[in-house]
Amino acid sequence: TMHRILIANERSVTPETLELIRGLPSALDVPRREQALAASVLATKLGAATIVVISKHGITAKAVSNCRPLVPIHAFVDGESCCRKLMLVWGIVPHSIVFSQNTEQTLGRALAILRKEKAVRKGQRIVIVSDIHAGATAVMTIQIRTMA
């Protein structure tokens, strides 16, 4: 019967599987979720205009979205496919840009797009969530900047 099928299926689903199905960060990725929560709280307390997320695959952007910040989330991803997927995620305004080896260059491109679209104005604060690569190591960062 359908009841037996549902019970058997529910027993086979682990929390990790649910996270993958939902497209949310894995339960094993606690630092990423904490980074997202910190950025969301910081943006709200500072009255930031937006949260800018630089994310290769959109995982960090989804984690920030899951925190339901009170400001828009502008996610900059490397690829149209990922950009299209993020269009369905709560609160995210996705943008596809070409990533550079230099994180600051990538961020510069992202901020230029925000200025062009008039999503931010001079003097407004923004919160930036990204990974900065120091050699082979990725360092998770949250930055606060005032738009010039």
Side-chain angles (χ1 to χ4, degrees):
T1 68
M2 185 58 100
H3 179 71
R4 282 192 318 220
I5 293 169
L6 287 171
I7 296 299
N9 190 39
E10 287 176 359
R11 286 187 186 137
S12 69
V13 175
T14 65
E16 289 79 14
T17 307
L18 281 175
E19 296 290 341
L20 288 173
I21 291 168
R22 292 181 187 145
L24 300 174
S26 166
L28 302 175
D29 195 12
V30 173
R32 182 75 54 212
R33 288 190 307 194
E34 292 302 319
Q35 178 192 35
L37 181 59
S40 298
V41 170
L42 190 58
T44 300
K45 288 191 176 201
L46 291 175
T50 188
I51 298 173
V52 175
V53 181
I54 308 293
S55 178
K56 192 132 183 111
H57 304 289
I59 294 170
T60 303
K62 289 177 187 176
V64 173
S65 170
N66 197 37
C67 296
R68 300 294 193 257
L70 300 176
V71 299
I73 304 162
H74 285 270
F76 292 88
V77 294
D78 189 20
E80 286 296 324
S81 174
C82 185
C83 189
R84 282 192 300 274
K85 290 176 187 173
L86 288 177
M87 287 180 182
L88 301 174
V89 181
W90 183 93
I92 294 180
V93 180
H95 307 271
S96 178
I97 61 171
V98 177
F99 279 35
S100 169
Q101 294 286 51
N102 181 328
T103 306
E104 197 59 35
Q105 268 187 338
T106 302
L107 185 56
R109 288 182 192 136
L111 296 180
I113 290 169
L114 291 178
R115 281 189 208 97
K116 184 178 176 185
E117 293 180 353
K118 299 185 177 169
V120 292
R121 294 186 315 271
K122 183 178 179 178
Q124 287 184 315
R125 283 188 176 155
I126 60 170
V127 173
I128 301 164
V129 181
S130 67
D131 290 344
I132 294 178
H133 294 277
T137 306
V139 179
M140 297 167 62
T141 67
I142 299 174
Q143 301 176 41
I144 304 165
R145 294 200 186 183
T146 303
M147 292 301 292

